[in-house]
Amino acid sequence: MNYRHIYHAGNFADVFKHALLALVVEYLTRKDKPFFVLDTHAGLGEYDLTADEAQRTGEWRDGIGRILAEPDPPEALRPYLNAVRALGGGTPPSRYPGSPRIARHFMRPGDRLVASELHPEDASVLKGVFARDGQSKVLELDGYTALKANVPPKERRGLVLMDPPFEQPDEFPAMVRALTAAFRKWPTGIYGLWYPVKGGGAVPAFQGELATAGLGDVLVAEMTVMPVDESTNRLNGTGMVLVNPPWTLEDTLNDLLPWLTRVLGRTDLGGGDWRLAWLSRK
């Protein structure tokens, strides 16, 4: 309840997460049938990068700030950059869209968004963002409870995005439990699980559980912006587990991740790396 994303909006982890989110949701638009998106930890929906909180950390400067300064970004970033610019993000940007706004950017009439946010102040702001939007619903609710209540959706196709703040020590096991329960109810849905990359061994254990959970096609994408330091709790990188990923995504990320790592890597701290691997296949 204490985590506030405004301090971190638009940082390298957001760029990575939202670039992948945009690719998946854009893929869903390629069929005429309607789709559903559930954002379990939605945040504010959009962020003022001129606000004191964002200026105090300045994390966006080494994230979306670097991306927008690039003269020739790859085609795979086009969906994401279109969503960012639709909110009025210039160079330098003044506003940045959160995951529910990015997902909503791609929706057509008939598609549907449910965004869940537990923090009461943030939920209130989020409700204001979507107040006049008949295709979007905001829940002031724990994200895992929202997941239980909203799958399977009536549309039978779509995406669940889980990106908790990782303030609880059992967040990785909680994600595994929530995912496996949801998958049993909706095995054809796409699931995206965002996580931070830090030292301590939590990520390998998390991925090991997912690899043996019987979830079918599970792809993991990771990017670090500096070498992982096992002796600190510093955010070294970011990752996303994708269950039932679009069939085009692996090839797209093989091209995109090296570029993102080069642009966002902290060469002053040793530089970054990337990884793309299947945890399991059908």
Side-chain angles (χ1 to χ4, degrees):
M1 291 291 289
N2 294 323
Y3 177 86
R4 305 303 297 277
H5 193 66
I6 182 60
Y7 291 97
H8 314 290
N11 69 0
F12 76 86
D14 262 4
V15 170
F16 172 91
K17 173 175 62 179
H18 293 151
L20 270 64
L21 171 64
L23 286 169
V24 172
V25 181
E26 191 272 339
Y27 176 85
L28 288 168
T29 68
R30 298 180 190 180
K31 288 187 177 181
D32 291 337
K33 294 181 180 180
F35 64 85
F36 167 76
V37 174
L38 171 62
D39 190 335
T40 62
H41 299 76
L44 292 174
E46 57 186 59
Y47 299 89
D48 180 2
L49 297 183
T50 68
D52 179 66
E53 297 92 338
Q55 290 292 316
R56 196 180 311 169
T57 62
E59 290 186 20
W60 64 269
R61 295 186 178 90
D62 285 324
I64 188 59
R66 291 191 183 192
I67 298 297
L68 292 176
E70 285 292 312
D72 189 26
E75 178 64 18
L77 269 189
R78 179 187 55 80
Y80 165 64
L81 290 175
N82 286 346
V84 171
R85 288 172 176 143
L87 190 59
T91 306
S94 60
R95 301 192 69 78
Y96 185 81
S99 49
R101 277 297 301 264
I102 288 177
R104 183 64 181 90
H105 172 79
F106 297 96
M107 290 183 172
R108 310 150 304 176
D111 301 328
R112 188 166 60 97
L113 169 70
V114 171
S116 181
E117 174 54 46
L118 182 60
H119 194 291
E121 292 179 21
D122 289 1
S124 177
V125 172
L126 188 63
K127 289 176 182 178
V129 170
F130 292 108
R132 296 175 179 85
D133 185 352
Q135 291 177 241
S136 303
K137 182 178 182 180
V138 175
L139 306 174
E140 187 177 332
L141 193 64
D142 170 73
Y144 300 128
T145 302
L147 178 57
K148 290 179 183 178
N150 284 278
V151 298
K154 63 183 180 181
E155 295 84 356
R156 295 290 172 173
R157 59 187 300 263
L159 166 71
V160 171
L161 175 66
M162 300 166 60
D163 58 340
F166 283 87
E167 287 197 321
Q168 302 301 321
D170 65 340
E171 202 75 77
F172 279 116
M175 290 178 79
V176 173
R177 291 193 299 269
L179 172 63
T180 52
F183 184 84
R184 285 194 293 269
K185 295 169 63 178
W186 189 32
T188 58
I190 301 172
Y191 298 85
L193 284 70
W194 176 87
Y195 58 90
V197 175
K198 302 180 180 181
V203 169
F206 167 63
Q207 293 181 1
E209 284 192 71
L210 292 174
T212 59
L215 300 170
D217 290 341
V218 182
L219 180 68
V220 60
E222 283 185 4
M223 180 188 72
T224 56
V225 296
M226 65 190 80
V228 176
D229 186 347
E230 296 291 344
S231 66
T232 73
N233 196 40
R234 184 169 60 183
L235 181 65
N236 306 113
T238 175
M240 181 85 82
V241 168
L242 289 142
V243 179
N244 297 326
W247 67 272
T248 57
L249 191 62
E250 182 181 16
D251 287 343
T252 301
L253 294 182
N254 266 316
D255 294 332
L256 177 59
L257 291 180
W259 187 90
L260 282 178
T261 302
R262 176 181 63 80
V263 172
L264 298 176
R266 293 289 301 273
T267 55
D268 57 322
L269 297 175
D273 202 355
W274 64 279
R275 172 177 173 249
L276 190 65
W278 291 97
L279 296 183
S280 64
R281 300 296 300 268
K282 289 179 183 175

